[in-house]
Amino acid sequence: EIYSIKNISSDCAVAVKYENEDKYYICRNAYYKPETLGQFINDLDLKNTLDFDAVYGSQKKKGESSDIEYYDWDKEKVWELLFSNTEAKAVKDYDSLNFEMAVDISINIKLLGYENISLSVSRDGYITTNILDTGKAFYIGKAASEKFINYLQNEYKTKVLETYDYSEPNYTSDSKS
């Protein structure tokens, strides 16, 4: 038997119950392609099902790059800054684009069996995610993504996770020509 999931569009996912079993299984539609961010939010009831976990980024100081984690950030502010443009169009050919991600947010949608999946923000104005198992991107605008990135950088403390030194090594040669 196939059942709808409360407040989730059947275009996105359904619950299946097999004969002689008491358990329900989630069947997700990896080929679901929303037209707008608003449709995506509504079809998955993201306002009620999406949990933000951790926010990661990078910083450069004194020639070194570091992976960082932001902490004690306001989830409502994140929601407001990233999801307020419900008219943001979905990218049609996700795989043909090369996104330079500035911030990665670990998210959960436990109702659909997702834990620690990605919602990312690029400097060039996109949010991307792999909700429903395939890549999706929405163009929220460069100003909106920069506002979000600046908000994190200016308002919240960070913890350095790893530091990288990308300077060129000094090579010396002992061989004589």
Side-chain angles (χ1 to χ4, degrees):
E1 297 175 352
I2 299 173
Y3 295 90
S4 62
I5 302 169
K6 185 178 180 180
N7 298 327
I8 304 291
S9 168
S10 60
D11 290 338
C12 299
V14 294
V16 175
K17 184 177 181 190
Y18 294 102
E19 193 173 318
N20 299 321
E21 287 198 35
D22 294 331
K23 196 174 180 181
Y24 292 87
Y25 298 88
I26 300 295
C27 291
R28 302 180 295 241
N29 178 5
Y31 302 102
Y32 166 77
K33 293 190 186 284
E35 294 292 319
T36 65
L37 181 57
Q39 179 186 0
F40 189 60
I41 292 167
N42 291 334
D43 284 352
L44 289 166
D45 192 25
L46 291 179
K47 190 68 175 163
N48 295 308
T49 60
L50 179 70
D51 294 320
F52 298 108
D53 198 7
V55 179
Y56 303 98
S58 61
Q59 68 183 13
K60 292 182 181 181
K61 287 185 179 178
K62 300 177 185 173
E64 292 183 332
S65 292
S66 299
D67 291 336
I68 58 172
E69 180 178 353
Y70 296 97
Y71 60 94
D72 293 334
W73 40 272
D74 181 352
K75 293 178 183 185
E76 284 302 314
K77 190 72 171 174
V78 171
W79 183 267
E80 173 192 323
L81 291 170
L82 292 182
F83 295 101
S84 61
N85 181 2
T86 57
E87 298 301 313
K89 298 289 184 200
V91 170
K92 298 290 182 197
D93 193 10
Y94 176 88
D95 293 327
S96 71
L97 297 174
N98 186 15
F99 302 101
E100 180 189 338
M101 294 306 151
V103 175
D104 190 48
I105 304 170
S106 171
I107 58 172
N108 306 308
I109 304 177
K110 293 182 180 173
L111 178 66
L112 297 180
Y114 290 115
E115 290 190 41
N116 192 29
I117 61 172
S118 176
L119 177 75
S120 297
V121 181
S122 74
R123 291 196 181 282
D124 54 350
Y126 294 92
I127 57 175
T128 66
T129 186
N130 57 348
I131 295 172
L132 296 178
D133 307 321
T134 54
K136 292 162 189 58
F138 301 90
Y139 185 71
I140 61 171
K142 190 172 182 175
S145 64
E146 284 296 328
K147 184 175 181 180
F148 175 72
I149 294 163
N150 290 333
Y151 161 73
L152 287 175
Q153 291 174 344
N154 296 326
E155 300 294 325
Y156 292 99
K157 294 180 182 177
T158 61
K159 175 172 68 173
V160 174
L161 303 174
E162 184 141 5
T163 300
Y164 308 94
D165 181 0
Y166 292 112
S167 61
E168 292 292 322
N170 291 326
Y171 293 103
T172 59
S173 174
D174 290 341
S175 65
K176 298 183 184 189
S177 330

